[in-house]
């Protein structure tokens, strides 16, 4: 005879799951919202009043086929699959289902894409835009762009930077990355110079401010991740370089530049805050010109006469 939990409908189990990941697992509001988005779609496909215990692997595969027919991207479908797996693992653990139908649900294979990165001339042109354009706050934006390129920080890490995070010479700072892990990042001369110029303006503009955030808006409030994305989009858009990039492109460019210059991949992994070396290995692509140079210098008969 079915237990009371095994009679539970999909909607009821999803609601219990949301309470669990928020209250017990401590997931962030952003993560909870992402699960809710995926699982609301799952409820729509499976039927909110369908019993969780009645769902089969074929039912779940049908949901995926429907997403494919509706032209969802592979990445969106894989995120949906991960959410469904998490729901079924929870349901099995807490007795809503007698067996886990999602165990054999496979993710779609996605062709690996090289990270979007900028050439040195593109970086230089973009970082010069605040001095050429009269649209936002030149000193702040120059410092922001230079520091993202110099450090390889995630945009969230830059937005969270506090004045107290910096060393006395502004040549390094401690940032908190994914998994609440702290690491030290570094800033070269151009970034330090731009940061110093911005901080002078910031102090003059907000003499009595006690805000700890390094980057602030015109009201003295901390810049958000969304605000930083907006700034980068303005300078890389039609008013600026007309080669749109996201803040994350600075991180890709930093990693590519370091590895192409011969930096040890383990050191780059540490500077980026990657938990796995495989993530850093995405950046080991090199330009065709560099490969040609390596070949001509290393191969003994590369055009050299005896």
């Amino acid at each position: 005879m079915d237990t009371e939990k095994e009679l539970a409908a999909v909607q009821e189990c999803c609601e219990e799951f949301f309470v669990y990941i928020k209250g017990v697992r401590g997931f962030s509001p952003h993560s909870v919202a992402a699960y809710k988005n995926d699982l609301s779609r799952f409820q729509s496909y499976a039927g909110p009043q369908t019993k969780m215990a009645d769902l089969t692997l074929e039912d779940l595969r049908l949901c995926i086929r429907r997403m494919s027919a509706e032209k969802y991207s592979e990445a969106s479908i894989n995120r949906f699959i991960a959410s469904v797996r998490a729901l079924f693992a929870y349901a099995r653990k807490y007795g809503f289902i007698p067996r886990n139908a999602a165990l054999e649900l496979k993710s779609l294979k996605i062709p690996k894409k090289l990270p979007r990165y900028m050439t040195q001339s593109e970086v230089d042109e973009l970082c010069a835009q605040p001095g050429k354009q009269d649209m936002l706050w030149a000193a702040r934006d120059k410092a922001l762009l230079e520091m993202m390129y110099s450090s390889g920080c995630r945009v969230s890490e830059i937005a969270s930077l506090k004045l107290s995070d910096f060393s006395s010479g502004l040549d390094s700072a401690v940032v908190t990355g994914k998994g609440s892990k702290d690491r030290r990042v570094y800033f070269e001369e151009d970034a330090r110079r731009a940061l110093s110029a911005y901080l002078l303006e910031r102090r003059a503009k907000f003499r009595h401010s006690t805000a700890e955030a390094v980057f602030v808006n015109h009201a003295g409030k901390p810049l958000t991740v969304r605000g930083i994305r907006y700034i980068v989009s303005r300078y890389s858009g039609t008013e600026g370089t007309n080669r749109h990039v996201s803040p994350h492109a600075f991180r890709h460019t930093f990693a590519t530049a370091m590895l192409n210059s011969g930096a040890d991949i383990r050191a780059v992994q540490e500077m980026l805050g990657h938990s796995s070396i495989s993530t850093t290995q995405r950046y080991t692509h090199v330009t065709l010109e560099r490969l040609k140079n390596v070949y001509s210098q290393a191969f003994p008969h590369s055009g050299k006469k005896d």
Side-chain angles (χ1 to χ4, degrees):
M1 185 174 182
D2 291 334
T3 67
E4 184 177 346
K5 280 192 173 182
E6 288 180 6
L7 296 174
V10 169
Q11 182 178 22
E12 181 184 348
C13 190
C14 284
E15 289 171 355
E16 294 281 347
F17 175 69
F18 299 144
V19 172
Y20 170 74
I21 61 173
K22 181 179 179 181
V24 178
R25 296 292 304 277
F27 282 22
S28 70
H30 177 78
S31 296
V32 174
Y35 274 108
K36 285 184 176 180
N37 181 61
D38 287 329
L39 294 179
S40 65
R41 187 173 296 114
F42 174 63
Q43 291 181 55
S44 174
Y45 291 157
Q49 300 309 314
T50 301
K51 286 197 298 182
M52 278 288 296
D54 288 343
L55 290 171
T56 65
L57 176 61
E58 185 54 37
D59 292 326
L60 303 184
R61 287 173 173 164
L62 180 60
C63 294
I64 295 168
R65 288 197 289 272
R66 286 188 60 177
M67 288 191 75
S68 295
E70 292 170 13
K71 306 300 183 183
Y72 282 94
S73 69
E74 290 93 342
S76 295
I77 294 173
N78 280 347
R79 193 187 62 234
F80 172 84
I81 291 171
S83 296
V84 170
R85 282 181 186 148
L87 172 67
F88 272 75
Y90 163 82
R92 180 70 186 95
K93 181 177 181 179
Y94 289 98
F96 287 94
I97 52 178
R99 58 192 171 278
N100 187 345
L103 281 178
E104 296 181 43
L105 199 59
K106 306 296 184 183
S107 298
L108 304 183
K109 290 185 177 179
I110 302 178
K112 290 185 178 180
K113 295 181 180 179
L114 292 178
R116 168 72 171 96
Y117 71 99
M118 295 176 277
T119 64
Q120 186 60 56
S121 61
E122 288 174 334
V123 175
D124 292 342
E125 184 182 2
L126 182 51
C127 289
Q129 289 304 306
K132 297 178 179 179
Q133 309 294 340
D134 182 23
M135 55 184 175
L136 298 171
W137 182 352
R140 177 200 63 188
D141 302 339
K142 171 73 171 174
L144 179 65
L145 300 179
E146 291 282 5
M147 289 174 65
M148 284 195 291
Y149 173 53
S150 177
S151 65
C153 280
R154 300 177 178 92
V155 62
S156 59
E157 294 166 351
I158 287 288
S160 301
L161 266 179
K162 301 187 294 295
L163 296 172
S164 58
D165 292 332
F166 281 84
S167 62
S168 57
L170 301 180
D171 58 350
S172 68
V174 174
V175 298
T176 302
K178 289 185 176 180
S180 299
K181 294 180 180 178
D182 290 345
R183 73 181 189 282
R184 186 167 292 277
V185 297
Y186 300 90
F187 306 100
E188 48 74 54
E189 186 177 351
D190 288 343
R192 295 198 302 270
R193 205 163 38 233
L195 178 59
S196 296
Y198 158 62
L199 291 179
L200 283 174
E201 284 195 17
R202 182 182 183 278
R203 293 186 191 105
K205 188 177 178 71
F206 305 108
R207 292 184 182 277
H208 305 294
S209 173
T210 57
E212 264 284 287
V214 173
F215 291 106
V216 297
N217 59 25
H218 284 286
K221 303 296 183 182
L223 271 183
T224 61
V225 168
R226 184 177 180 181
I228 294 174
R229 289 197 179 109
Y230 172 76
I231 291 168
V232 173
S233 72
R234 288 290 298 274
Y235 288 113
S236 65
T238 54
E239 299 167 281
T241 62
N242 203 27
R243 287 190 295 271
H244 179 75
V245 298
S246 70
H248 214 63
F250 285 93
R251 182 168 164 86
H252 296 327
T253 304
F254 166 85
T256 301
M258 292 292 291
L259 290 169
N260 281 358
S261 297
D264 181 79
I265 191 170
R266 293 287 180 183
V268 177
Q269 176 190 3
E270 180 69 23
M271 285 184 273
L272 292 171
H274 287 157
S275 57
S276 171
I277 193 70
S278 62
T279 307
T280 315
Q281 285 172 335
R282 293 184 305 159
Y283 299 103
T284 55
H285 60 285
V286 293
T287 63
L288 180 60
E289 189 61 37
R290 181 170 182 268
L291 283 175
K292 287 180 179 178
N293 290 338
V294 170
Y295 177 83
S296 64
Q297 292 170 18
F299 191 70
H301 300 292
S302 56
K304 297 176 183 178
K305 295 181 179 180
D306 292 332

